[in-house]
Every structure is written in structure tokens, then in C-alpha cells.
Amino acid sequence: MGIQTWTFIIVGLTFALYIGIAIWSRASSTKEFYVAGGGVSPLANGLATAADWMSAASFLGMAGIIAFSGYDGSVYLMGWTGGYVLLALLLAPYLRKFGKFTVPDFIGDRYYSNLARTVAVVAALFVSFTYVAGQMRGVGVVFSRFLDVEVNTGVYIGMAVVLFYAFLGGMKGITYTQVAQYCVLIFAFMVPAIFISIMATGNPVPQLGMGSAGADGVYLLDKLDGLMTDLGFTAYTDGTKSSTDIFFITAALMLGTAGLPHVIIRFFTVPKVKDARKSAGYALLFIAILYTTAPAIAVFARTNLMETVQDTPYKEIPDWFTKWEETGLIAWTDKNGDGKIQYLPGSAVEGKKPMFSEARGTVGQRLITNASATRNELYVDRDITVLANPEIAGLPNWIIALVAAGGLAAALSTAAGLLLVISTSISHDLIKKQFAPNISDKRELLIARVSSLFAVVVAGYFGINPPGFVASVVALAFGLAASSFFPAIVMGIFSKRMNREGAITGMIAGLAITSYYIAHFKLGWIGNPETSTETHWWFGISPEGFGTVGMLVNFVIAIVISRFTAPPPAEVQEIVENIRIPSGAGDAVQH
């Protein structure tokens, strides 16, 4: 059977499974909608947390960005892995003991202020919408290739699917759907990695195969370094980023992880604090399986790509190339007129993505209207690395379709968690807590579901018009989380002296300066475009790493303001003291 037939079968079966679980586990109360009733087992919650955590950025984007950035891409691996450890050990158990469903709920009660709650809601929406844009982009990429539809159409299909089970089941439906999605995505990620590792080095363990020698006796990393330097690229194992930028990006990803609202909320779905700790341990184990394999896939993919396309006549190029070319995610221009593909340093297109004319070139290629004048003739979207790798390696069609199903599982699982955060922030933290405290449970549930619909529409827009590649877009969300939530949560747990004035001012300042930096240097929405280039970065820090600066600004302002204003009430200080005691925690408070 062909790839598309296999894709319809495997993706269709997985979607039927997700929808069936959503119907079986549909929410009938706000507690089930927000925290799955608080009765999920640690193992199931660990699987669901891993699926929630490993988004399209992990499944599609991380291997892609490591493949094309080499050593520099390792910051994503270090930041996201270290960040989860930080979250599991430093924050999750204490937040679970506090007994609130959402981060804005924690901040509103801990800082005894509806204004603090509102600022936290705004921050949660900023983070979640930025993050979910990357997931919708990932869904569009998968559908565009394997269902032969436009990227935008793929986004619309993904919107409909994720809305169905998020709208119907809430956290209860999402939790058990994510258990299934983890099983799908990790199987889809590991099977081709094992096959390709055996083909390239004879070693069935991808993590070891990456550092092994191939049939020619040359170590794979040495071979890749040689291929890249021969073509004029920087060696794969060498970095071009400054140590300062690497530090700030890694810190932003780590600290942003600890402030991600859609991951934190998962620890409220288990009965006890002890279960929260257990589920965190399980999740770390499940996450490590994928994260230790991603660098190996990156090495295999970059090597296979360069060996396959370099100096190959376009008329002899394999079918996978022209299939991806039709989606607009690979583009080629024959700059020297020899009919051969050249993969060299430089930019192949002017702008973020190629623009095509209706005409065809002399050898049948799609013509780029915004081709760059620099050396590179080939444009490859980084987000297709994992998806295209099995095709490049010549693996069976069922494996290629399986990878497509895995990519969709990764994107949809995280998108559902983010949509829940958005709907909860609006229905519970904004409407119930501030504008309509006497609203009925049934009415609040309706508002939450309507909010999910609104969130899906906005997410779809950003999926169609993303500000960058999946991993880089998601990195911006981590920076926003680090600059807004992390200081407020940490000081809310560990500092009895931190008051509402300090927390509110710090969150506003951190979020504002980070948002400005991203809007100016990454998106070009504000300021002079001539000063938004890399040479004008403050202290040489990229937009992906600036969340660390915003976090430091948040901490400094919050501490200074709190020292010049009244301390929190005695009852709030007593709460802070109590949540750090390991015993005595009960169920999450029902709202």
C-alpha cells in the first residue's frame, strides 16, 4: 500500500481511539473538566504529563533544530530536560498541596488580590497562545504532506479534532486521551530511529548508534562534520552561538518550564501530594526516552539529507523530495543552470518561507519568486526533519505513516492541554472568581467550553501565520513563562515576606519587557525594522533567551517593592509556612 493509504488507516485508527476515549470520559462537572476529578493514578498521570510536555516542538521541532543547528541546538535539549526536573522537584508538590486548580488561582489567593489574579490570567493567555501556535503549525505540517492538503487546511482539520475532545471531556477526557497519545508518539518516534540506526551503524540503540562507526569504518559524527565542512558549513559539533546566549536560552527554557501553566495543572489530577511526586518521576522517565533519542535522529537525518540531495540532478531526485516540494516545505532554485541540486551555506529565500509562482522551471521544479542571491539553492523547513527522515532512509510506508500519527499525537496532546488552560483562565479565574462568584457549576462548565472554542480559533490563526519554526515559537512561550510566572510562584512558595504589591509589579515588568523584546526583535511588530536585526540584540541575547532577563527584572522589582510595602497578612504567611510541610495535604479544593 502507498504512504497515503497507510496514513489514512493509522491516523484514522488513532483519531478514532482519541475520540472514543473523549466520549467515554466526558466531563460532567467543573472538577472533572478542570482536574479530571482528582483521581488519576500516578502512572496514568505520568504518561499524560509526558504527552502534554512532549509537544510538536519535542517530536518535530527539537530534532529539526538540532539537525540544522548542530551543537547550538543542544540548548533546547538541556533547557527542556533540566526544566522539567526543576518543575518536578521545586514547584509541583507545593502547588499540589496548596490545592488550587490553576496557576492564576494560586497567585490570586497567595497574593490575596484579584488584580494579581488578573495579571496572572493575562500572562497565562500570552504563554498559552504563543505555545499553541507551534502545535497548530506542527499539525498543519503533518497533514500537508501525508494527506496532500495545504498547510492551512491541515491546521483547520487539527482545530476540529482537538476542539472535539477538549470541548467534550475537559481535563478528564484530555488525560486519558494523552495516555493513548504518549503510547502512539513514543512508538512512532522510536521505531524509525531504531531501523535507521541499524541501517547506518548496525547498532539497534539510536543513542549509541549516533556515536558509532558505519559500514565504511568512519564514525557517524566525524562523517557528518566532514560533509558539512566540505560544503562550507560550520562543523556539526562546533557552535556559532556565544556562550552568553547559550546560557540565557538554556535558563529561559528551564525556568519557563517551571512556570508553564498547562504542565503544572497536571499535578492537581492525582489524589495526594505523594502521588504528584510519583507521577513526576514516571513522567521524567517517559520523557527521557524521547529526549535522549532526538539528537541521534538529528544526526541521522542531516547525514541522510546531505548525502541524498547534494549534486543530484533534479530529474533523478527521489519521490519524497517532490512530494515535500508540493507542500512548499522544500524549495529549490537552479541558480547555476546545471539542473543539479546544490546544498550550500547561505539563505535560499528572501524571507521566512519560499513564495512560488504558477510556472515551472526547465526541469519541472516549482519556481521561487523570492529566491535569494546567496549561494544556497535549497530551502528545507526544519520542521519536516523527523517526518521526512524515514522517507529519505527508504523505510517501509507503514513506518512513514506511523511517524505522521506520532507527530499528530504530540501536537494535539499539548494543544488540548493549552486550550484547557485558556478556557479555565477565562471561565474560572476571570468570570467565576471576579465577575460572577455565584455562577452555577453548570453555567461555569458552559463558559469553559465556549472559551475552548474561542481559544481554538485564535490558535488556528497563529498556526496559519506562525512567527517562526515550531521549536523557536515554543521557545518564546517559555521565555514569557519564565519572565512572568516563575518568580511569582517561587517567591509565593518560599518567601513569607513577598506581598501582592511586589508580585504584581514584578509580573507586569517581567512580562512587559520580554514581550517588547520579542515583538521588536523576533516579530518586527514594533520599533524601527532597521534596528531589529541580530547585531542590535541587547547584550548579544537572542529573543529566545531574553525571558531570563525578564525573569531577573521580575525578581529584582518584586523584592524591592515588597521591602517598601506592608507584609502579607498573618493568615497568608501561615499558608506559606504550611505548604512547605510534606504531610497534611488533602484533595484539591473544588470550585
Side-chain angles (χ1 to χ4, degrees):
M1 288 188 289
I3 294 174
Q4 192 171 41
T5 303
W6 272 114
T7 302
F8 276 119
I9 293 172
I10 296 178
V11 172
L13 289 173
T14 57
F15 275 23
L17 176 64
Y18 306 154
I19 292 170
I21 292 173
I23 294 172
W24 165 75
S25 59
R26 59 188 179 276
S28 58
S29 69
T30 52
K31 187 171 184 180
E32 288 186 341
F33 193 88
Y34 293 151
V35 290
V40 180
S41 72
L43 178 60
N45 194 53
L47 287 164
T49 303
D52 206 358
W53 174 237
M54 291 189 296
S55 64
S58 296
F59 191 97
L60 302 178
M62 185 168 65
I65 208 163
I66 294 173
F68 284 85
S69 303
Y71 176 84
D72 290 338
S74 64
V75 297
Y76 292 88
L77 190 66
M78 294 186 295
W80 284 336
T81 307
Y84 182 80
V85 176
L86 184 66
L87 169 64
L89 298 180
L90 185 64
L91 302 181
Y94 303 110
L95 289 172
R96 173 62 187 82
K97 186 174 180 182
F98 195 84
K100 296 299 180 182
F101 288 159
T102 66
V103 174
D105 211 12
F106 166 78
I107 289 176
D109 283 12
R110 164 60 182 85
Y111 294 112
Y112 50 96
S113 167
N114 272 338
L115 178 58
R117 191 188 310 276
T118 302
V119 173
V121 168
V122 172
L125 295 178
F126 262 81
V127 172
S128 299
F129 277 125
T130 306
Y131 204 150
V132 81
Q135 312 317 309
M136 291 295 104
R137 157 80 175 172
V139 172
V141 168
V142 175
F143 276 132
S144 66
R145 165 63 184 91
F146 295 107
L147 297 185
D148 282 341
V149 297
E150 292 291 330
V151 173
N152 294 0
T153 305
V155 172
Y156 297 141
I157 297 171
M159 288 167 59
V161 174
V162 75
L163 177 63
F164 180 85
Y165 63 80
F167 186 91
L168 187 65
M171 179 58 86
K172 186 179 179 183
I174 288 169
T175 295
Y176 294 107
T177 302
Q178 286 175 335
V179 171
Q181 286 170 329
Y182 175 80
C183 296
V184 171
L185 76 87
I186 202 64
F187 186 69
F189 200 79
M190 294 304 298
V191 167
I194 292 170
F195 269 87
I196 296 172
S197 182
I198 293 172
M199 292 168 61
T201 66
N203 194 321
V205 182
Q207 294 89 335
L208 300 178
M210 177 180 69
S212 301
D216 56 3
V218 179
Y219 284 94
L220 199 59
L221 284 170
D222 290 338
K223 182 179 184 179
L224 181 54
D225 275 347
L227 285 170
M228 294 187 66
T229 53
D230 287 348
L231 296 176
F233 292 97
T234 302
Y236 187 81
T237 53
D238 290 342
T240 58
K241 282 185 177 294
S242 68
S243 299
T244 300
D245 197 28
I246 288 176
F247 171 81
F248 276 85
I249 293 175
T250 304
L253 295 174
M254 287 183 64
L255 302 176
T257 299
L260 283 179
H262 77 290
V263 177
I264 289 173
I265 199 173
R266 290 237 51 94
F267 296 100
F268 294 111
T269 64
V270 293
K272 296 176 291 187
V273 173
K274 181 173 69 173
D275 295 329
R277 294 182 186 276
K278 284 183 180 178
S279 64
Y282 280 129
L284 185 58
L285 173 64
F286 298 140
I287 290 168
I289 296 172
L290 186 144
Y291 270 50
T292 56
T293 307
I297 288 182
V299 171
F300 299 148
R302 189 66 185 270
T303 304
N304 287 340
L305 176 66
M306 298 183 80
E307 288 187 323
T308 302
V309 304
Q310 181 63 22
D311 283 331
T312 299
Y314 181 84
K315 289 185 176 181
E316 299 175 11
I317 203 72
D319 288 344
W320 67 264
F321 187 97
T322 53
K323 289 288 187 182
W324 281 107
E325 188 183 24
E326 290 303 315
T327 68
L329 299 174
I330 281 181
W332 172 68
T333 180
D334 192 7
K335 292 180 181 176
N336 60 7
D338 65 355
K340 294 182 179 181
I341 296 172
Q342 303 293 324
Y343 188 26
L344 301 167
S347 174
V349 299
E350 295 286 356
K352 292 182 179 179
K353 56 185 179 181
M355 298 172 63
F356 298 94
S357 69
E358 294 297 323
R360 291 278 179 168
T362 55
V363 289
Q365 79 273 26
R366 297 186 71 183
L367 292 179
I368 309 172
T369 59
N370 61 334
S372 170
T374 54
R375 292 175 66 199
N376 199 347
E377 297 183 351
L378 182 67
Y379 167 87
V380 181
D381 191 299
R382 296 177 181 182
D383 293 335
I384 73 169
T385 301
V386 171
L387 297 174
N389 196 28
E391 291 184 271
I392 299 172
L395 295 184
N397 289 341
W398 69 269
I399 294 181
I400 297 168
L402 180 65
V403 173
L408 291 172
L412 294 176
S413 62
T414 304
L418 292 164
L419 293 175
L420 186 68
V421 167
I422 295 168
S423 64
T424 303
S425 296
I426 295 172
S427 63
H428 177 70
D429 298 311
L430 207 58
I431 304 297
K432 182 177 178 64
K433 284 290 186 177
Q434 301 193 52
F435 297 113
N438 298 321
I439 193 173
S440 68
D441 189 79
K442 185 177 180 180
R443 184 79 171 174
E444 184 183 351
L445 189 59
L446 175 62
I447 294 172
R449 284 175 165 150
V450 172
S451 301
S452 297
L453 176 60
F454 160 76
V456 165
V457 172
V458 177
Y461 171 79
F462 285 112
I464 293 169
N465 302 283
F469 299 111
V470 171
S472 61
V473 172
V474 170
L476 301 179
F478 280 76
L480 292 170
S483 64
S484 56
F485 283 132
F486 182 75
I489 295 173
V490 168
M491 291 187 291
I493 293 171
F494 297 103
S495 172
K496 293 191 291 185
R497 184 62 180 80
M498 181 51 57
N499 60 13
R500 62 185 176 189
E501 290 83 3
I504 292 170
T505 310
M507 281 194 295
I508 292 173
L511 184 63
I513 191 170
T514 306
S515 299
Y516 166 80
Y517 198 84
I518 291 172
H520 178 55
F521 288 104
K522 185 70 175 181
L523 307 177
W525 287 354
I526 57 177
N528 185 352
E530 294 181 1
T531 63
S532 63
T533 59
E534 182 176 340
T535 55
H536 293 87
W537 287 352
W538 300 355
F539 317 111
I541 301 171
S542 64
E544 289 80 5
F546 197 79
T548 304
V549 178
M551 179 271 297
L552 294 173
V553 169
N554 186 335
F555 265 120
V556 170
I557 290 179
I559 292 170
V560 170
I561 295 294
S562 68
R563 292 300 181 269
F564 288 94
T565 48
E571 60 270 21
V572 172
Q573 296 189 45
E574 185 178 351
I575 291 173
V576 175
E577 189 70 33
N578 287 338
I579 64 174
R580 296 203 300 269
I581 299 173
S583 61
D587 293 335
V589 180
Q590 184 172 0
H591 301 274

